[in-house]
Amino acid sequence: MTTTATIARGAGRVSPLSRQARKGYLRYLLPGAVGFLAVVFVPFLMNIGISFTNWSGVGSPTFVGLENYRRLMRDHFFWSAFEHSIWFIVAMAIVPTVLGLFLAAVLFDYIEPRFGQRVSSVLRAGFYLPQVLPVAVAGVVWGWILNPYGAINAALQQLGIDDPPNWLGDSRWALPSVMLVLVWMQLGYGLVIFMAGMARIDPQYHEAAELDGASWFARFRHVTVPHLRPEVFVVLLTTAIAALKVFGPVYVLTKGGPGNATNVPSYYSYSNFFGSLQVGYGAAVATILTLVVIAMAIVFIRIQSKNEGV
Amino acid sequence: MFRRIRRGRTLALALGAASVLALAACGGGSGASASGKTFTVWWYEDAGNPQDAAWQDALKDFKAAHPNVKVHFERKVWQQIQDAGAMILNSKDAPDLLEYNKGNATAGAVSSKGLLTDLTSEASSQGWDKIAGSALTVGTYNSKGLMGPGKLYGIPSYGEYVSFAYNEDMFAKYGVKVPTTMDELDAAFAKFKSEGITPLAESAADYPAQHLLWGLALSYADHGWLNGYFGLKAPLDTSSDSPLTKAAETIADWTAKGYIDKKSSGMKPEDAWSLFRSGKAPITYAGTWMAGDFRDNIKSFKWGQFLMPGSGINPGSGGNIWVVPTKADNKDLAYDFIGLTLDKKRQDLMANAGGVALHADPADVSDPTGKMVNQTFSQLVSSDGLGLYGDWPVPNFYQVIQSNTQTLVAGRQTPDEFMKQLKTAYDQVQSTVGG
């Protein structure tokens, strides 16, 4: 990795392309740049503009300066929504990465050599399926499963638990229940990337370790995991950002409730936009959320660069 | 205020709701054509319910009366209009006529922004004001968008109220009489509970529990309190004398005694209706939009209705309203269609389908369910007994009340904490537009 990275950076400093040739390539960036401007950059600037106003979504906005941001600082709903985001990072980034790494290694090192590639592929596809299912459909089905009289509680009652939890209806259980659904949704994403990464690792390392008497877990820890570091960073970064932005599962499963037990910043922004018609305030929530995501992305990429030893 | 969710429609509702943003982004993709010869109308009544049956019939006659007009009907979802209504009305793709959610937070808000056509003079020249009578309240808003004396922006063509539905066979079997006081209601609940039956089928993961809260609040309220509450005259009263506090305490009490299952906090409306339909629970608290469903699907026992015992005011109002967007291309056609939904043929048809019509002729209503609900509604109208819905004063109050009623029923919140949450949301708006 170190070598590759060095070459890539070297190429950036001393370009083999002439200035003229580089200009020629610029035109190919144009469609992407226009798309970025139209879909991301300009709406983001507009959102920042709206966040300085008091506006119901129709009619004329009134400029209020930093008032919305001042209100945000003392709004405990907003801060509790961010606290829930931290739990959702656990459910969407940390647990699926750790579990995905382990399961990918089991599929790659154990299932595939013993049961063949077909079995391993079917299992991998099974883990990935929740990523393909539309979140509205998966959410409705989970809503049925987690209903007080749904499948999970019916099974628990069969096992002798007379009063099983009220998963989505009790504020004590709602957050862990939504987290469980998110783990189920995200697991396949990291797993597929890690399996692709494992195929890239030179088998010699594993063979050498095996000859030295390393157990499977020792090889997993000292060979597989260090080699998969780039993949782990990519998965952690993208899933952590997805966790901060999570909206669909919360909308379908709980609408932020009971009370505010599962409220998250993006749902809070949405409910201010469309529910309370406080569009300026909703825009301020969205702006802060975007800044947090950008800051997190920068930190992650810095750490990744450092780890690549450059 | 309310939502109608019928069996098998939950998925469609969720999918429809999830597409709200997409709908908002593309404006629905089907507005009135520039030629002015396409009449576009939207409503969100479930296919085959009494309103839908009557309006489909009106659409047939409308087509016959306007052979040169292309008619484009789209069925929407209540939640779509709740979430994206303002943006739809503000876009060039607004239809000529649509069913809109009544209330300050919805129709009121968009009327105050000039997005709805003032129908005051049209209503009096066409005689709609006489047909709809006091039900017109739900379409009348002042310049701040608050319901009450002002201009007429929406025309209801049906009515609704919320009451207890009960299983007559189970009442007879356990020797329980239809309660006429709150004490008798408590005794009826206690009797069923002592027989090992949870008496009240409830859903707190959606709107039914907040209807019960409001029904109870109305039983402790008078019109003076109601006018103050809806007119945002003062910050929300959270004292122990406040009707809302008493209602929250009653729900907490009923949950503690097991009259309402704590698990109701995880249950959707359909879960509660199905407990009642299957005869597992003898009582539920349901709006008249469920009457047709109960009539069609309850075959194994006799069922009836009773209002909140001893209460002169009950949740209910004119139904959701026809509005004509300011940007509509064919307003005259929209007026023609509104007229058809209010005529005798459609009103009788709605009542005979089990719906609450605004002025059905009692002599022409033969359906027993239709007779029952139309008689009760007439009584409520003539006694000034329609108490509207508790979430109307403030935008997003619907969601605030719902999620906190859910927490209250789950036993994770005291009535005091419950009232504090409501007060925060209510007072924030009251301090800016009320007083």
Side-chain angles (χ1 to χ4, degrees):
Chain A
M1 268 321 286
T2 311
T3 325
T4 323
T6 312
I7 290 170
R9 273 151 203 271
R13 278 198 300 271
V14 191
S15 169
L17 294 173
S18 69
R19 188 172 285 233
Q20 193 62 32
R22 269 189 289 163
K23 266 191 185 163
Y25 279 111
L26 281 177
R27 77 181 76 149
Y28 294 103
L29 290 177
L30 205 61
V34 169
F36 175 77
L37 276 175
V39 180
V40 179
F41 192 67
V42 172
F44 181 55
L45 290 184
M46 288 167 71
N47 186 72
I48 292 175
I50 294 169
S51 73
F52 296 124
T53 68
N54 187 356
W55 191 35
S56 68
V58 284
S60 314
T62 318
F63 183 77
V64 292
L66 289 171
E67 181 49 36
N68 286 327
Y69 291 94
R70 272 195 284 271
R71 195 178 135 197
L72 262 186
M73 292 304 124
R74 43 176 207 268
D75 180 353
H76 72 276
F77 290 125
F78 173 71
W79 294 110
S80 77
F82 256 110
E83 193 186 314
H84 298 148
S85 279
I86 294 169
W87 286 108
F88 283 1
I89 288 175
V90 172
M92 287 181 75
I94 296 171
V95 173
T97 301
V98 173
L99 207 58
L101 252 179
F102 177 74
L103 285 172
V106 170
L107 286 181
F108 195 82
D109 295 340
Y110 185 78
I111 304 285
E112 200 170 308
R114 283 170 181 75
F115 299 97
Q117 197 173 0
R118 184 171 288 188
V119 174
S120 160
S121 296
V122 167
L123 288 172
R124 186 178 56 187
F127 283 117
Y128 195 71
L129 190 65
Q131 285 277 308
V132 182
L133 285 176
V135 66
V137 176
V140 169
V141 174
W142 271 105
W144 289 337
I145 295 172
L146 295 169
N147 184 290
Y149 298 99
I152 288 188
N153 281 5
L156 290 175
Q157 276 167 336
Q158 290 290 322
L159 294 172
I161 299 170
D162 288 336
D163 190 21
N166 183 357
W167 301 103
L168 295 174
D170 185 336
S171 46
R172 193 183 288 179
W173 285 100
L175 187 63
S177 303
V178 176
M179 285 171 69
L180 172 84
V181 175
L182 291 174
V183 169
W184 172 82
M185 279 181 182
Q186 283 300 121
L187 188 58
Y189 170 70
L191 182 132
V192 165
I193 292 178
F194 298 143
M195 283 190 77
M198 285 170 188
R200 176 177 59 73
I201 301 171
D202 192 335
Q204 287 183 39
Y205 293 114
H206 276 286
E207 284 161 15
E210 213 167 355
L211 286 174
D212 287 344
S215 67
W216 175 83
F217 186 73
R219 279 186 285 122
F220 171 71
R221 200 178 145 199
H222 296 291
V223 179
T224 308
V225 173
H227 276 92
L228 285 182
R229 199 170 277 163
E231 282 84 356
V232 170
F233 269 115
V234 168
V235 169
L236 273 179
L237 175 65
T238 50
T239 52
I241 289 172
L244 282 172
K245 297 194 304 180
V246 71
F247 175 83
V250 171
Y251 182 89
V252 182
L253 285 168
T254 61
K255 291 214 158 59
N260 288 292
T262 56
N263 202 9
V264 285
S266 57
Y267 187 79
Y268 191 53
S269 171
Y270 162 85
S271 72
N272 275 293
F273 258 93
F274 298 103
S276 325
L277 305 177
Q278 301 180 66
V279 173
Y281 193 61
V285 175
T287 303
I288 295 290
L289 178 62
T290 309
L291 294 179
V292 170
V293 169
I294 291 173
M296 200 172 81
I298 291 172
V299 169
F300 260 84
I301 290 168
R302 282 263 164 87
I303 295 173
Q304 187 182 8
S305 304
K306 258 188 197 162
N307 272 280
E308 282 172 355
V310 183
Chain B
M1 163 65 197
F2 60 85
R3 282 186 270 187
R4 304 178 184 87
I5 305 172
R6 292 165 75 100
R7 271 186 280 191
R9 295 190 64 84
T10 316
L11 183 63
L13 179 84
L15 293 175
S19 67
V20 159
L21 288 174
L23 173 87
C26 67
S30 62
S33 79
S35 72
K37 290 198 174 166
T38 300
F39 170 62
T40 311
V41 56
W42 295 356
W43 67 72
Y44 47 72
E45 299 300 325
D46 287 341
N49 83 1
Q51 286 75 253
D52 182 64
W55 297 350
Q56 292 289 0
D57 190 68
L59 214 50
K60 219 175 351 169
D61 285 1
F62 180 88
K63 284 177 188 165
H66 301 91
N68 297 323
V69 174
K70 204 175 147 203
V71 173
H72 187 87
F73 159 65
E74 276 186 52
R75 193 183 306 280
K76 298 291 177 191
V77 178
W78 182 92
Q79 192 76 42
Q80 281 179 309
I81 305 299
Q82 184 79 1
D83 290 344
M87 280 187 294
I88 292 165
L89 293 172
N90 202 24
S91 77
K92 63 181 173 47
D93 293 318
D96 296 311
L97 177 68
L98 73 159
E99 184 187 14
Y100 209 83
N101 309 353
K102 63 215 155 147
N104 294 351
T106 45
V110 291
S111 72
S112 71
K113 302 295 176 192
L115 295 176
L116 299 181
T117 307
D118 175 7
L119 301 172
T120 314
S121 64
E122 198 64 33
S124 75
S125 69
Q126 302 247 16
W128 300 337
D129 49 353
K130 293 193 176 57
I131 295 170
S134 63
L136 276 184
T137 311
V138 293
T140 314
Y141 299 90
N142 67 16
S143 59
K144 284 179 178 176
L146 299 178
M147 198 182 283
K151 289 178 181 168
L152 185 61
Y153 290 100
I155 310 290
S157 75
Y158 66 96
E160 60 188 41
Y161 62 87
V162 190
S163 68
F164 287 105
Y166 73 104
N167 181 326
E168 289 186 17
D169 294 7
M170 283 178 87
F171 269 53
K173 183 179 171 188
Y174 294 100
V176 177
K177 282 191 191 154
V178 173
T180 54
T181 63
M182 286 303 271
D183 287 343
E184 284 179 19
L185 180 65
D186 202 276
F189 284 158
K191 172 70 183 161
F192 284 114
K193 190 65 200 167
S194 71
E195 299 286 348
I197 299 166
T198 302
L200 187 56
E202 204 30 276
S203 149
D206 212 314
Y207 69 88
Q210 65 165 300
H211 282 184
L212 180 65
L213 176 91
W214 188 240
L216 287 164
L218 289 173
S219 73
Y220 302 115
D222 56 26
H223 283 287
W225 182 83
L226 275 179
N227 290 339
Y229 179 79
F230 284 115
L232 298 161
K233 300 266 195 268
L236 189 66
D237 175 13
T238 56
S239 70
S240 57
D241 290 336
S242 160
L244 267 173
T245 311
K246 288 182 184 170
E249 280 166 356
T250 306
I251 286 189
D253 178 48
W254 286 358
T255 309
K257 287 176 176 162
Y259 300 164
I260 299 174
D261 186 353
K262 274 189 184 176
K263 289 196 165 54
S264 306
S265 66
M267 284 163 56
K268 297 283 185 187
E270 182 48 33
D271 299 324
W273 312 144
S274 110
L275 282 174
F276 179 68
R277 277 194 217 102
S278 63
K280 287 182 183 152
I283 308 173
T284 192
Y285 195 63
T288 43
W289 50 93
M290 287 309 297
D293 176 282
F294 291 167
R295 179 195 64 173
D296 295 341
N297 295 306
I298 296 176
K299 304 284 181 204
S300 58
F301 59 86
K302 267 191 84 182
W303 67 279
Q305 283 185 337
F306 60 90
L307 294 168
M308 186 65 74
S311 177
I313 316 173
N314 286 269
S317 67
N320 286 310
I321 48 181
W322 289 122
V323 299
V324 180
T326 307
K327 297 188 177 186
D329 290 331
N330 305 296
K331 294 185 181 176
D332 286 342
L333 293 174
Y335 302 152
D336 284 356
F337 189 80
I338 294 173
L340 286 175
T341 64
L342 286 167
D343 70 10
K344 180 173 162 40
K345 184 184 176 204
R346 254 57 64 165
Q347 291 286 300
D348 287 351
L349 204 159
M350 201 184 278
N352 274 308
V356 180
L358 290 181
H359 77 139
D361 185 345
D364 290 331
V365 183
S366 53
D367 178 74
T369 304
K371 234 182 182 82
M372 173 176 71
V373 293
N374 281 282
Q375 268 172 6
T376 310
F377 186 72
S378 299
Q379 272 170 24
L380 287 169
V381 170
S382 58
S383 64
D384 202 8
L386 290 175
L388 313 182
Y389 295 95
D391 66 299
W392 284 5
V394 175
N396 213 35
F397 217 25
Y398 176 87
Q399 189 59 33
V400 173
I401 302 178
Q402 195 253 294
S403 62
N404 284 291
T405 315
Q406 190 180 15
T407 319
L408 182 72
V409 168
R412 299 283 178 218
Q413 203 176 45
T414 63
D416 275 355
E417 289 161 348
F418 173 85
M419 290 302 293
K420 252 182 225 160
Q421 297 289 333
L422 264 56
K423 187 175 173 59
T424 306
Y426 184 95
D427 289 4
Q428 195 180 336
V429 178
Q430 193 277 331
S431 64
T432 51
V433 300

